[in-house]
Amino acid sequence: MSRGRRLWNCRCSKRHSRSTRAKLQLLVSRVDRLLREGQFANRLSSATPIFLASILQYLTANILNLAEKEARANHRIRITPEHVQRALIKNEILCRLFEPNAFTRTTAAPTPRKKK
């Protein structure tokens, strides 16, 4: 009886990666390492790399889906970089996302109020 219980515990105590637990294909550990090495912030939440990996996976899947449609429209089986580029150009939202100055625009800094 105890032998069966011990085997049952071994099967359940398997370690799973963060990517497996989040059901993602992209490696959460790699995203976490790159975020920490890039020194984008002093402190990071444990959910930050999972969230960013899921966003990257969603964008990648969306772009590949559009590129697949572009390749099929040209009667091709394989997706080439040209198909990806055309798919990004044709999609208005993704085109704006990947334009060179998409995130460098800054607004005027608010001026602090003077105390009376």
Short mmCIF file of all heavy atoms in Angstrom, two decimals, residues 51-103:
data_model
loop_
_atom_site.label_atom_id
_atom_site.label_comp_id
_atom_site.label_asym_id
_atom_site.label_seq_id
_atom_site.Cartn_x
_atom_site.Cartn_y
_atom_site.Cartn_z
N PHE A 51 3.58 37.62 -18.66
CA PHE A 51 2.71 38.51 -19.43
C PHE A 51 3.37 38.91 -20.74
O PHE A 51 2.74 38.86 -21.81
CB PHE A 51 2.38 39.74 -18.58
CG PHE A 51 1.46 40.71 -19.23
CD1 PHE A 51 0.13 40.40 -19.43
CD2 PHE A 51 1.92 41.94 -19.67
CE1 PHE A 51 -0.73 41.30 -20.03
CE2 PHE A 51 1.07 42.84 -20.28
CZ PHE A 51 -0.25 42.52 -20.46
N LEU A 52 4.65 39.28 -20.69
CA LEU A 52 5.36 39.70 -21.90
C LEU A 52 5.52 38.53 -22.87
O LEU A 52 5.36 38.71 -24.09
CB LEU A 52 6.72 40.29 -21.54
CG LEU A 52 7.53 40.86 -22.69
CD1 LEU A 52 6.75 41.96 -23.40
CD2 LEU A 52 8.84 41.40 -22.19
N ALA A 53 5.80 37.34 -22.36
CA ALA A 53 5.94 36.16 -23.23
C ALA A 53 4.61 35.84 -23.91
O ALA A 53 4.58 35.46 -25.09
CB ALA A 53 6.43 34.96 -22.44
N SER A 54 3.51 36.01 -23.19
CA SER A 54 2.20 35.73 -23.79
C SER A 54 1.87 36.76 -24.87
O SER A 54 1.30 36.42 -25.91
CB SER A 54 1.10 35.68 -22.73
OG SER A 54 0.97 36.92 -22.10
N ILE A 55 2.23 38.01 -24.65
CA ILE A 55 2.01 39.04 -25.67
C ILE A 55 2.85 38.76 -26.91
O ILE A 55 2.36 38.85 -28.04
CB ILE A 55 2.32 40.44 -25.10
CG1 ILE A 55 1.27 40.85 -24.10
CG2 ILE A 55 2.42 41.48 -26.22
CD1 ILE A 55 1.57 42.11 -23.36
N LEU A 56 4.12 38.39 -26.70
CA LEU A 56 4.99 38.08 -27.83
C LEU A 56 4.48 36.88 -28.61
O LEU A 56 4.52 36.86 -29.84
CB LEU A 56 6.42 37.84 -27.35
CG LEU A 56 7.17 39.06 -26.84
CD1 LEU A 56 8.48 38.65 -26.21
CD2 LEU A 56 7.38 40.06 -27.95
N GLN A 57 3.99 35.87 -27.89
CA GLN A 57 3.45 34.69 -28.57
C GLN A 57 2.20 35.04 -29.36
O GLN A 57 2.01 34.57 -30.48
CB GLN A 57 3.16 33.59 -27.55
CG GLN A 57 2.65 32.33 -28.20
CD GLN A 57 2.53 31.19 -27.22
OE1 GLN A 57 3.37 31.04 -26.35
NE2 GLN A 57 1.49 30.40 -27.37
N TYR A 58 1.33 35.89 -28.79
CA TYR A 58 0.12 36.30 -29.50
C TYR A 58 0.47 37.06 -30.77
O TYR A 58 -0.10 36.81 -31.84
CB TYR A 58 -0.75 37.15 -28.58
CG TYR A 58 -1.93 37.76 -29.28
CD1 TYR A 58 -3.05 36.99 -29.57
CD2 TYR A 58 -1.92 39.09 -29.68
CE1 TYR A 58 -4.14 37.54 -30.24
CE2 TYR A 58 -2.99 39.64 -30.35
CZ TYR A 58 -4.09 38.87 -30.62
OH TYR A 58 -5.16 39.40 -31.28
N LEU A 59 1.40 38.01 -30.68
CA LEU A 59 1.79 38.79 -31.86
C LEU A 59 2.43 37.89 -32.92
O LEU A 59 2.14 38.03 -34.11
CB LEU A 59 2.77 39.89 -31.46
CG LEU A 59 2.17 41.13 -30.84
CD1 LEU A 59 3.26 42.07 -30.35
CD2 LEU A 59 1.27 41.84 -31.83
N THR A 60 3.28 36.97 -32.49
CA THR A 60 3.92 36.06 -33.43
C THR A 60 2.90 35.20 -34.15
O THR A 60 2.97 35.02 -35.38
CB THR A 60 4.94 35.18 -32.69
OG1 THR A 60 5.87 36.01 -32.00
CG2 THR A 60 5.69 34.28 -33.66
N ALA A 61 1.94 34.66 -33.40
CA ALA A 61 0.91 33.82 -34.01
C ALA A 61 0.06 34.62 -34.99
O ALA A 61 -0.28 34.12 -36.08
CB ALA A 61 0.04 33.20 -32.93
N ASN A 62 -0.25 35.85 -34.63
CA ASN A 62 -1.07 36.70 -35.50
C ASN A 62 -0.32 37.03 -36.79
O ASN A 62 -0.88 36.95 -37.89
CB ASN A 62 -1.44 37.98 -34.74
CG ASN A 62 -2.53 38.75 -35.42
OD1 ASN A 62 -3.04 38.37 -36.45
ND2 ASN A 62 -2.91 39.86 -34.81
N ILE A 63 0.95 37.37 -36.68
CA ILE A 63 1.75 37.71 -37.85
C ILE A 63 1.92 36.50 -38.76
O ILE A 63 1.80 36.59 -39.98
CB ILE A 63 3.11 38.29 -37.43
CG1 ILE A 63 2.90 39.67 -36.79
CG2 ILE A 63 4.07 38.39 -38.60
CD1 ILE A 63 4.11 40.23 -36.10
N LEU A 64 2.18 35.33 -38.16
CA LEU A 64 2.33 34.12 -38.97
C LEU A 64 1.03 33.73 -39.65
O LEU A 64 1.04 33.22 -40.77
CB LEU A 64 2.86 32.97 -38.12
CG LEU A 64 4.34 33.05 -37.78
CD1 LEU A 64 4.73 31.93 -36.83
CD2 LEU A 64 5.19 33.02 -39.03
N ASN A 65 -0.09 33.96 -38.98
CA ASN A 65 -1.38 33.67 -39.59
C ASN A 65 -1.61 34.57 -40.81
O ASN A 65 -2.05 34.10 -41.87
CB ASN A 65 -2.50 33.86 -38.56
CG ASN A 65 -3.83 33.39 -39.06
OD1 ASN A 65 -3.92 32.66 -40.04
ND2 ASN A 65 -4.89 33.80 -38.39
N LEU A 66 -1.30 35.84 -40.68
CA LEU A 66 -1.44 36.76 -41.81
C LEU A 66 -0.47 36.41 -42.94
O LEU A 66 -0.81 36.49 -44.12
CB LEU A 66 -1.22 38.20 -41.35
CG LEU A 66 -2.28 38.78 -40.42
CD1 LEU A 66 -1.84 40.12 -39.87
CD2 LEU A 66 -3.60 38.91 -41.15
N ALA A 67 0.75 36.01 -42.57
CA ALA A 67 1.74 35.63 -43.58
C ALA A 67 1.32 34.36 -44.30
O ALA A 67 1.57 34.21 -45.51
CB ALA A 67 3.11 35.45 -42.94
N GLU A 68 0.69 33.45 -43.57
CA GLU A 68 0.18 32.23 -44.20
C GLU A 68 -0.88 32.55 -45.24
O GLU A 68 -0.87 32.01 -46.35
CB GLU A 68 -0.40 31.29 -43.15
CG GLU A 68 -1.03 30.04 -43.72
CD GLU A 68 -1.87 29.30 -42.72
OE1 GLU A 68 -2.12 29.82 -41.62
OE2 GLU A 68 -2.32 28.19 -43.06
N LYS A 69 -1.79 33.46 -44.90
CA LYS A 69 -2.82 33.87 -45.86
C LYS A 69 -2.19 34.52 -47.08
O LYS A 69 -2.64 34.31 -48.21
CB LYS A 69 -3.81 34.82 -45.19
CG LYS A 69 -4.69 34.15 -44.17
CD LYS A 69 -5.62 35.14 -43.51
CE LYS A 69 -6.46 34.47 -42.44
NZ LYS A 69 -7.30 35.41 -41.72
N GLU A 70 -1.15 35.30 -46.85
CA GLU A 70 -0.45 35.97 -47.96
C GLU A 70 0.23 34.93 -48.86
O GLU A 70 0.20 35.04 -50.09
CB GLU A 70 0.57 36.95 -47.41
CG GLU A 70 1.24 37.81 -48.43
CD GLU A 70 0.30 38.77 -49.12
OE1 GLU A 70 -0.64 39.25 -48.49
OE2 GLU A 70 0.53 39.05 -50.32
N ALA A 71 0.84 33.92 -48.24
CA ALA A 71 1.52 32.88 -49.02
C ALA A 71 0.50 32.07 -49.83
O ALA A 71 0.75 31.74 -50.99
CB ALA A 71 2.31 31.96 -48.09
N ARG A 72 -0.62 31.77 -49.22
CA ARG A 72 -1.66 31.01 -49.94
C ARG A 72 -2.26 31.83 -51.08
O ARG A 72 -2.66 31.28 -52.09
CB ARG A 72 -2.74 30.55 -48.99
CG ARG A 72 -2.25 29.44 -48.11
CD ARG A 72 -3.37 28.78 -47.39
NE ARG A 72 -2.79 27.72 -46.55
CZ ARG A 72 -3.50 26.85 -45.91
NH1 ARG A 72 -4.81 26.88 -45.98
NH2 ARG A 72 -2.92 25.93 -45.17
N ALA A 73 -2.35 33.13 -50.88
CA ALA A 73 -2.87 33.98 -51.95
C ALA A 73 -1.93 33.96 -53.15
O ALA A 73 -2.37 34.14 -54.29
CB ALA A 73 -3.05 35.41 -51.44
N ASN A 74 -0.64 33.73 -52.91
CA ASN A 74 0.35 33.65 -53.99
C ASN A 74 0.60 32.20 -54.42
O ASN A 74 1.59 31.94 -55.10
CB ASN A 74 1.67 34.29 -53.55
CG ASN A 74 1.53 35.78 -53.35
OD1 ASN A 74 0.73 36.42 -54.01
ND2 ASN A 74 2.29 36.32 -52.43
N HIS A 75 -0.25 31.30 -53.98
CA HIS A 75 -0.15 29.87 -54.33
C HIS A 75 1.18 29.26 -53.91
O HIS A 75 1.79 28.51 -54.67
CB HIS A 75 -0.39 29.66 -55.83
CG HIS A 75 -1.67 30.28 -56.31
ND1 HIS A 75 -2.91 29.79 -55.94
CD2 HIS A 75 -1.90 31.36 -57.10
CE1 HIS A 75 -3.84 30.53 -56.50
NE2 HIS A 75 -3.27 31.50 -57.21
N ARG A 76 1.62 29.60 -52.72
CA ARG A 76 2.87 29.06 -52.17
C ARG A 76 2.56 28.24 -50.93
O ARG A 76 1.58 28.49 -50.23
CB ARG A 76 3.84 30.18 -51.79
CG ARG A 76 4.20 31.09 -52.93
CD ARG A 76 5.20 30.41 -53.85
NE ARG A 76 5.61 31.32 -54.89
CZ ARG A 76 5.66 31.00 -56.16
NH1 ARG A 76 5.33 29.82 -56.56
NH2 ARG A 76 6.06 31.87 -57.05
N ILE A 77 3.44 27.28 -50.65
CA ILE A 77 3.28 26.44 -49.46
C ILE A 77 4.08 26.99 -48.30
O ILE A 77 3.61 27.02 -47.16
CB ILE A 77 3.71 24.99 -49.77
CG1 ILE A 77 2.81 24.39 -50.84
CG2 ILE A 77 3.68 24.13 -48.51
CD1 ILE A 77 3.28 23.05 -51.34
N ARG A 78 5.30 27.45 -48.60
CA ARG A 78 6.19 27.95 -47.55
C ARG A 78 6.02 29.45 -47.35
O ARG A 78 5.83 30.20 -48.31
CB ARG A 78 7.64 27.66 -47.91
CG ARG A 78 7.95 26.20 -47.90
CD ARG A 78 9.45 25.98 -48.02
NE ARG A 78 9.72 24.57 -48.06
CZ ARG A 78 10.08 23.91 -49.16
NH1 ARG A 78 10.22 24.57 -50.28
NH2 ARG A 78 10.32 22.63 -49.12
N ILE A 79 6.15 29.86 -46.09
CA ILE A 79 6.11 31.29 -45.77
C ILE A 79 7.53 31.83 -45.88
O ILE A 79 8.46 31.30 -45.26
CB ILE A 79 5.57 31.52 -44.34
CG1 ILE A 79 4.14 31.01 -44.24
CG2 ILE A 79 5.65 32.98 -43.97
CD1 ILE A 79 3.59 31.05 -42.83
N THR A 80 7.71 32.86 -46.66
CA THR A 80 9.02 33.50 -46.82
C THR A 80 9.01 34.84 -46.10
O THR A 80 7.94 35.36 -45.73
CB THR A 80 9.34 33.70 -48.30
OG1 THR A 80 8.36 34.60 -48.86
CG2 THR A 80 9.34 32.40 -49.07
N PRO A 81 10.17 35.45 -45.89
CA PRO A 81 10.21 36.78 -45.27
C PRO A 81 9.41 37.83 -46.05
O PRO A 81 8.86 38.76 -45.46
CB PRO A 81 11.70 37.12 -45.24
CG PRO A 81 12.38 35.81 -45.20
CD PRO A 81 11.53 34.89 -46.00
N GLU A 82 9.34 37.65 -47.36
CA GLU A 82 8.56 38.59 -48.17
C GLU A 82 7.07 38.50 -47.83
O GLU A 82 6.38 39.52 -47.81
CB GLU A 82 8.77 38.32 -49.66
CG GLU A 82 10.15 38.71 -50.17
CD GLU A 82 11.21 37.65 -49.85
OE1 GLU A 82 10.84 36.50 -49.58
OE2 GLU A 82 12.40 38.01 -49.87
N HIS A 83 6.59 37.29 -47.57
CA HIS A 83 5.18 37.13 -47.18
C HIS A 83 4.91 37.82 -45.85
O HIS A 83 3.87 38.47 -45.67
CB HIS A 83 4.81 35.65 -47.09
CG HIS A 83 4.87 34.95 -48.41
ND1 HIS A 83 5.46 33.73 -48.56
CD2 HIS A 83 4.41 35.30 -49.64
CE1 HIS A 83 5.37 33.34 -49.82
NE2 HIS A 83 4.74 34.29 -50.50
N VAL A 84 5.85 37.68 -44.92
CA VAL A 84 5.68 38.33 -43.61
C VAL A 84 5.68 39.84 -43.79
O VAL A 84 4.85 40.55 -43.20
CB VAL A 84 6.81 37.89 -42.64
CG1 VAL A 84 6.73 38.65 -41.33
CG2 VAL A 84 6.74 36.39 -42.38
N GLN A 85 6.60 40.34 -44.60
CA GLN A 85 6.69 41.79 -44.81
C GLN A 85 5.42 42.33 -45.46
O GLN A 85 4.89 43.36 -45.04
CB GLN A 85 7.91 42.10 -45.67
CG GLN A 85 8.21 43.57 -45.78
CD GLN A 85 9.52 43.81 -46.52
OE1 GLN A 85 10.02 42.93 -47.22
NE2 GLN A 85 10.05 45.01 -46.37
N ARG A 86 4.91 41.64 -46.47
CA ARG A 86 3.68 42.08 -47.12
C ARG A 86 2.49 42.03 -46.18
O ARG A 86 1.62 42.89 -46.22
CB ARG A 86 3.40 41.24 -48.36
CG ARG A 86 4.13 41.76 -49.57
CD ARG A 86 3.66 41.08 -50.82
NE ARG A 86 4.78 40.28 -51.31
CZ ARG A 86 4.70 39.07 -51.80
NH1 ARG A 86 3.55 38.47 -51.91
NH2 ARG A 86 5.77 38.43 -52.21
N ALA A 87 2.45 41.00 -45.33
CA ALA A 87 1.35 40.87 -44.37
C ALA A 87 1.39 42.03 -43.37
O ALA A 87 0.34 42.58 -43.00
CB ALA A 87 1.44 39.54 -43.64
N LEU A 88 2.59 42.43 -42.94
CA LEU A 88 2.71 43.55 -42.00
C LEU A 88 2.33 44.87 -42.67
O LEU A 88 1.72 45.73 -42.04
CB LEU A 88 4.13 43.64 -41.45
CG LEU A 88 4.53 42.57 -40.45
CD1 LEU A 88 6.01 42.71 -40.11
CD2 LEU A 88 3.69 42.67 -39.21
N ILE A 89 2.68 45.03 -43.92
CA ILE A 89 2.36 46.27 -44.63
C ILE A 89 0.85 46.38 -44.85
O ILE A 89 0.28 47.47 -44.72
CB ILE A 89 3.13 46.34 -45.96
CG1 ILE A 89 4.61 46.54 -45.68
CG2 ILE A 89 2.60 47.45 -46.85
CD1 ILE A 89 5.50 46.39 -46.90
N LYS A 90 0.20 45.27 -45.16
CA LYS A 90 -1.24 45.30 -45.45
C LYS A 90 -2.10 45.49 -44.20
O LYS A 90 -3.19 46.04 -44.29
CB LYS A 90 -1.67 44.00 -46.15
CG LYS A 90 -1.22 43.93 -47.58
CD LYS A 90 -1.74 42.68 -48.24
CE LYS A 90 -1.33 42.62 -49.69
NZ LYS A 90 -1.84 41.41 -50.35
N ASN A 91 -1.60 45.07 -43.04
CA ASN A 91 -2.37 45.22 -41.80
C ASN A 91 -2.06 46.59 -41.19
O ASN A 91 -0.92 46.87 -40.82
CB ASN A 91 -2.00 44.11 -40.82
CG ASN A 91 -2.93 44.07 -39.63
OD1 ASN A 91 -3.18 45.08 -38.99
ND2 ASN A 91 -3.44 42.90 -39.33
N GLU A 92 -3.08 47.41 -41.07
CA GLU A 92 -2.90 48.79 -40.62
C GLU A 92 -2.38 48.88 -39.18
O GLU A 92 -1.48 49.65 -38.88
CB GLU A 92 -4.23 49.53 -40.73
CG GLU A 92 -4.16 50.99 -40.33
CD GLU A 92 -5.52 51.65 -40.39
OE1 GLU A 92 -6.36 51.21 -41.20
OE2 GLU A 92 -5.72 52.60 -39.64
N ILE A 93 -2.92 48.06 -38.30
CA ILE A 93 -2.53 48.11 -36.88
C ILE A 93 -1.09 47.64 -36.69
O ILE A 93 -0.29 48.30 -36.01
CB ILE A 93 -3.50 47.27 -36.03
CG1 ILE A 93 -4.90 47.86 -36.12
CG2 ILE A 93 -3.04 47.21 -34.59
CD1 ILE A 93 -5.98 46.98 -35.54
N LEU A 94 -0.74 46.53 -37.31
CA LEU A 94 0.63 46.03 -37.18
C LEU A 94 1.62 46.94 -37.89
O LEU A 94 2.77 47.07 -37.45
CB LEU A 94 0.73 44.60 -37.72
CG LEU A 94 0.01 43.54 -36.90
CD1 LEU A 94 0.05 42.20 -37.62
CD2 LEU A 94 0.61 43.42 -35.53
N CYS A 95 1.20 47.57 -38.95
CA CYS A 95 2.07 48.50 -39.65
C CYS A 95 2.44 49.68 -38.74
O CYS A 95 3.59 50.09 -38.67
CB CYS A 95 1.38 48.99 -40.92
SG CYS A 95 2.43 49.97 -41.99
N ARG A 96 1.44 50.19 -38.03
CA ARG A 96 1.70 51.28 -37.08
C ARG A 96 2.57 50.82 -35.91
O ARG A 96 3.39 51.57 -35.40
CB ARG A 96 0.40 51.86 -36.54
CG ARG A 96 -0.17 52.93 -37.44
CD ARG A 96 -1.31 53.65 -36.79
NE ARG A 96 -2.51 52.82 -36.92
CZ ARG A 96 -3.45 52.69 -36.00
NH1 ARG A 96 -3.35 53.35 -34.88
NH2 ARG A 96 -4.49 51.92 -36.19
N LEU A 97 2.40 49.57 -35.49
CA LEU A 97 3.16 49.04 -34.36
C LEU A 97 4.64 48.92 -34.70
O LEU A 97 5.50 49.20 -33.85
CB LEU A 97 2.61 47.67 -33.95
CG LEU A 97 3.31 46.98 -32.79
CD1 LEU A 97 3.10 47.76 -31.50
CD2 LEU A 97 2.79 45.56 -32.64
N PHE A 98 4.95 48.54 -35.93
CA PHE A 98 6.33 48.30 -36.31
C PHE A 98 6.97 49.45 -37.08
O PHE A 98 8.05 49.28 -37.64
CB PHE A 98 6.43 47.01 -37.14
CG PHE A 98 6.22 45.79 -36.31
CD1 PHE A 98 5.07 45.03 -36.46
CD2 PHE A 98 7.15 45.41 -35.36
CE1 PHE A 98 4.87 43.91 -35.69
CE2 PHE A 98 6.95 44.28 -34.59
CZ PHE A 98 5.81 43.53 -34.75
N GLU A 99 6.35 50.61 -37.12
CA GLU A 99 7.00 51.74 -37.78
C GLU A 99 8.16 52.21 -36.90
O GLU A 99 8.16 52.01 -35.68
CB GLU A 99 6.02 52.86 -38.09
CG GLU A 99 5.45 53.57 -36.91
CD GLU A 99 4.40 54.60 -37.31
OE1 GLU A 99 3.90 54.54 -38.45
OE2 GLU A 99 4.10 55.43 -36.46
N PRO A 100 9.18 52.83 -37.50
CA PRO A 100 10.41 53.14 -36.76
C PRO A 100 10.22 54.02 -35.54
O PRO A 100 10.86 53.81 -34.52
CB PRO A 100 11.27 53.86 -37.80
CG PRO A 100 10.74 53.44 -39.11
CD PRO A 100 9.29 53.16 -38.91
N ASN A 101 9.35 55.01 -35.58
CA ASN A 101 9.20 55.93 -34.47
C ASN A 101 7.93 55.69 -33.67
O ASN A 101 7.32 56.62 -33.16
CB ASN A 101 9.21 57.38 -34.98
CG ASN A 101 10.52 57.73 -35.63
OD1 ASN A 101 11.57 57.25 -35.21
ND2 ASN A 101 10.48 58.55 -36.66
N ALA A 102 7.52 54.44 -33.54
CA ALA A 102 6.25 54.13 -32.89
C ALA A 102 6.27 54.46 -31.40
O ALA A 102 5.28 54.89 -30.84
CB ALA A 102 5.89 52.66 -33.08
N PHE A 103 7.41 54.28 -30.74
CA PHE A 103 7.46 54.45 -29.30
C PHE A 103 8.39 55.57 -28.85
O PHE A 103 8.59 55.78 -27.66
CB PHE A 103 7.88 53.15 -28.63
CG PHE A 103 6.94 52.03 -28.91
CD1 PHE A 103 7.29 51.02 -29.78
CD2 PHE A 103 5.68 52.00 -28.34
CE1 PHE A 103 6.42 49.99 -30.06
CE2 PHE A 103 4.80 50.97 -28.62
CZ PHE A 103 5.17 49.97 -29.48
#
